């Protein structure tokens, strides 16, 4: 058969067939006397195998190794068996994860069918129990984020933190989240002293992360991971996340084979569950989850103000998690404390409900969505913890009245925007410096209105990495000519540059 006929038979482009042969995914194809590819029965079998294995997600490198082993003769049969057995185990694990996803989808379908009959969609504790059945060792849906801890000067207050740990566990919660860089490395050590040394390993769930600042090449990842285990005082982590994934950081992790190293560590029993934390646009998350179906859980920024924010894209990012069937861990449910310290008008709205702190409405808003496995809160004193426990120990979603109040408060925040941009994005199409103007305006609003530390992160690491900065504006005025809000964009970009680039 000619390469054209093979292409049509198997639905593989001719370029791909040539590529498979060139890199060694299939052995050299039989050639005619004139040097033209003439696929014989054995050649076709290799093409079928390559297509089948690639459809199942078999790595290209593994297929190349298998072909080389076959070419070396019968003395490699044992090695071939070992390779194929390992890939079978990987496929069985993928099937297990698919079964879990199907189970979750069936549950959601059931709830929607019930909603059509009753006229009301409810999740509540059943939803919580169902999600935690996927990770049965995780208790409840509220976790202790250890980026903000009680401090005594520049040191963690171990006495206060120990009381908080004990209170947290005594009330039936067990999920703790940290990262190597939190509090300058003091978070891991504080957990070792106040949690690990004082409680049995089965009493708690500990999550850690691989952060980009601490490695530059593949060989540094494993020693870094081992140092994290040592700092935390444990033999394994329950969850391990690729930290703060964005388009640029993900490219670095791919270059350093970080995901592959993590999978090796997981197979060795160094951690149980694999996931990512994420800070970027929804399409980037979709790419990552498509390329890495082994990801079990995704941690995202999610709160009622960021829900439809064009820069953070919480709603769109959450919907990508739903699309891929990934449980969600929420970070920043109170937006770094900004949804606790409310402006007077917003505080009055919640006070009229006669019960509940501002934090309670923010955290319950996030926890009430389907597929939310966990909502994290960074707590710096026992009073904050006791408040959170009071409404999360027996979690219930927001009532219609409470949801209406949250919507009203969100509207109040939006009305306070210093730059009234609607993110129509008309301004970006003709920008000669490709400045993502609406996103930079959103970052500016977030920083000046909420004093949000994430605003700088999004400005520096997401919205200006592949696009221009505010200071790159050449003042051509094309953006102002198409702005429906008639904003003085050139002047506003000067303000943005002063805020983020000074």
């Amino acid at each position: 058969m000619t390469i054209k006929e093979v292409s049509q038979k198997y639905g593989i482009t001719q370029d791909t067939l040539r590529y498979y042969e060139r890199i060694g995914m299939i052995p050299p194809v039989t050639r005619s006397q004139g040097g033209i590819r003439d696929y014989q029965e054995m050649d076709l079998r290799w093409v079928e195998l390559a297509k089948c294995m690639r459809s199942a997600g078999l790595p290209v490198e593994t297929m190349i190794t298998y072909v080389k082993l076959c070419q070396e003769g019968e003395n490699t049969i044992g090695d071939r068996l070992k390779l194929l057995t390992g890939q079978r185990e990987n496929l069985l694990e993928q099937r297990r994860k698919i079964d879990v996803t199907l189970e979750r989808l069936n549950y959601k379908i059931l709830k929607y069918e019930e909603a059509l009959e009753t006229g009301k969609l409810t999740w509540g504790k059943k939803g919580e129990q169902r999600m935690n059945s996927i990770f049965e060792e995780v208790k409840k849906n509220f976790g202790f984020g250890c980026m903000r801890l009680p401090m005594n000067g520049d040191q963690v207050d171990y006495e206060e933190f120990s009381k908080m740990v004990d209170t947290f566990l005594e009330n039936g919660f067990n999920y703790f989240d940290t990262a190597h860089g939190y509090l300058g490395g003091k978070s891991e050590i504080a957990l070792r002293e106040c949690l690990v040394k004082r409680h049995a390993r089965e009493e708690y769930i500990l999550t850690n992360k691989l952060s980009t600042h601490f490695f530059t090449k593949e060989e540094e990842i494993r020693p870094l991971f081992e140092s994290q285990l040592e700092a935390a005082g444990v033999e394994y982590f329950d969850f391990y996340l690729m930290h703060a994934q964005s388009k640029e950081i993900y490219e670095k992790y791919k270059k350093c084979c970080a995901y592959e190293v993590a999978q090796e560590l997981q197979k060795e029993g160094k951690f149980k569950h694999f996931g990512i934390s994420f800070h970027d646009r929804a399409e980037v998350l979709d790419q990552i989850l498509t390329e890495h179906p082994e990801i079990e859980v995704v941690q995202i920024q999610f709160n009622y103000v960021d829900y439809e924010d064009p820069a953070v894209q919480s709603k769109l990012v959450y919907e990508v998690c739903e699309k891929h069937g990934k449980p969600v861990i929420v970070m920043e449910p109170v937006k770094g404390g900004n949804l606790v310290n409310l402006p007077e008008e917003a505080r009055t709205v919640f006070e009229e409900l006669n019960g509940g702190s501002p934090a309670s409405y923010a955290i319950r808003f996030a926890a009430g969505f389907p597929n939310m496995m966990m909502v994290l809160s960074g707590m710096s004193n026992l009073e904050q913890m006791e408040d959170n426990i009071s409404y999360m120990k027996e979690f219930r979603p927001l009532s219609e009245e409470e949801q209406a109040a949250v919507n009203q408060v969100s509207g109040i925040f939006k009305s306070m925007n210093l730059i009234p941009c609607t993110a129509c994005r008309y301004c970006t199409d003709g920008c000669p410096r490709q400045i993502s103007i609406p996103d930079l305006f959103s970052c500016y609003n977030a920083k000046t209105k909420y004093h949000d530390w994430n605003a700088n992160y999004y400005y520096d690491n997401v919205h200006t990495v592949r696009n221009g900065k505010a200071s790159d504006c050449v003042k051509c005025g094309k953006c102002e000519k198409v702005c429906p809000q008639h904003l003085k964009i050139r002047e506003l970009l000067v303000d943005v540059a002063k805020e983020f680039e000074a």
Side-chain angles (χ1 to χ4, degrees), residues 431-437 440 459 463-473 493 501:
C431 178
R433 302 309 296 269
Q434 295 183 312
I435 301 172
S436 187
I437 296 168
L440 301 196
Y459 186 89
H463 300 305
T464 62
V465 173
R466 295 179 179 273
N467 299 89
K469 295 184 176 182
S471 60
D472 293 329
C473 175
L493 285 175
E501 301 176 41

Side-chain angles (χ1 to χ4, degrees), residues 24 42 55 82 114 157 160 171 198 212 229 241 280 300 302 310 312 333 437 458 467 471:
M42 182 58 69
S55 297
K82 182 179 179 180
E114 291 176 356
D157 186 337
E160 179 75 359
N171 281 275
R198 300 174 61 251
T212 184
L229 288 176
L241 312 183
D280 207 332
I300 66 173
F302 193 92
V312 181
I437 296 168
Y458 276 92
N467 299 89
S471 60

Side-chain angles (χ1 to χ4, degrees), residues 76 96 361:
T76 66
R96 184 192 69 78
Y361 298 113

Side-chain angles (χ1 to χ4, degrees), residues 295-359:
I295 291 171
E296 298 174 74
V297 65
V298 181
Q299 184 167 305
I300 66 173
Q301 180 171 328
F302 193 92
N303 56 67
Y304 63 74
V305 170
D306 288 333
Y307 185 59
E308 295 185 350
D309 184 277
V312 181
Q313 293 193 346
S314 287
K315 180 175 184 285
L316 296 176
V317 167
Y318 164 73
E319 289 173 347
V320 170
C321 295
E322 284 276 85
K323 168 187 170 183
H324 287 269
K326 305 299 181 182
V328 176
I329 300 172
V330 173
M331 55 183 161
E332 301 293 350
V334 296
K335 202 170 175 67
N338 291 289
L339 302 186
V340 175
N341 303 311
L342 300 175
E344 186 61 31
E345 183 182 2
R347 180 175 291 276
T348 300
V349 173
F350 286 145
E351 288 176 349
E352 291 176 352
L353 294 175
N354 297 316
S357 64

Side-chain angles (χ1 to χ4, degrees), residues 166-318:
D166 295 346
T167 300
F168 192 70
L169 293 171
E170 288 166 2
N171 281 275
F173 303 93
N174 71 340
Y175 189 95
F176 295 82
D177 172 272
T178 189
H180 198 52
Y182 286 178
L183 298 175
K186 296 170 185 173
S187 175
E188 290 172 325
I189 296 171
L191 281 163
R192 181 186 69 203
E193 298 300 315
C194 302
L195 171 68
V196 176
K197 287 185 176 181
R198 300 174 61 251
H199 293 275
R201 186 63 181 90
E202 63 271 14
E203 291 183 49
Y204 57 87
I205 300 297
L206 184 56
T207 293
N208 211 325
K209 308 177 186 75
L210 176 65
S211 303
T212 184
H213 309 295
F214 300 103
F215 71 96
T216 57
K217 52 188 177 181
E218 178 181 350
E219 304 86 76
E220 297 173 344
I221 296 175
R222 183 176 285 270
L224 170 60
F225 180 87
E226 296 292 346
S227 74
Q228 291 179 275
L229 288 176
E230 182 179 358
V234 294
E235 294 183 356
Y236 66 90
F237 294 118
D238 297 279
F239 290 80
Y240 197 65
L241 312 183
M242 303 289 98
H243 197 189
Q245 297 295 277
S246 65
K247 188 172 184 64
E248 293 299 315
I249 291 176
Y250 177 55
E251 290 300 322
K252 172 187 172 179
Y253 279 50
K254 287 202 292 186
K255 183 179 179 181
C256 294
C257 298
Y259 283 68
E260 290 75 13
V261 174
Q263 289 178 59
E264 292 173 5
L265 291 167
Q266 186 178 21
K267 289 178 181 177
E268 293 168 14
K270 302 286 185 160
F271 66 87
K272 293 183 178 180
H273 302 293
F274 180 59
I276 64 172
S277 70
F278 183 78
H279 288 281
D280 207 332
R281 295 180 172 279
E283 62 264 25
V284 177
L285 179 60
D286 192 38
Q287 175 193 351
I288 295 173
L289 294 182
T290 299
E291 294 179 0
H292 289 281
E294 73 273 13
I295 291 171
E296 298 174 74
V297 65
V298 181
Q299 184 167 305
I300 66 173
Q301 180 171 328
F302 193 92
N303 56 67
Y304 63 74
V305 170
D306 288 333
Y307 185 59
E308 295 185 350
D309 184 277
V312 181
Q313 293 193 346
S314 287
K315 180 175 184 285
L316 296 176
V317 167
Y318 164 73

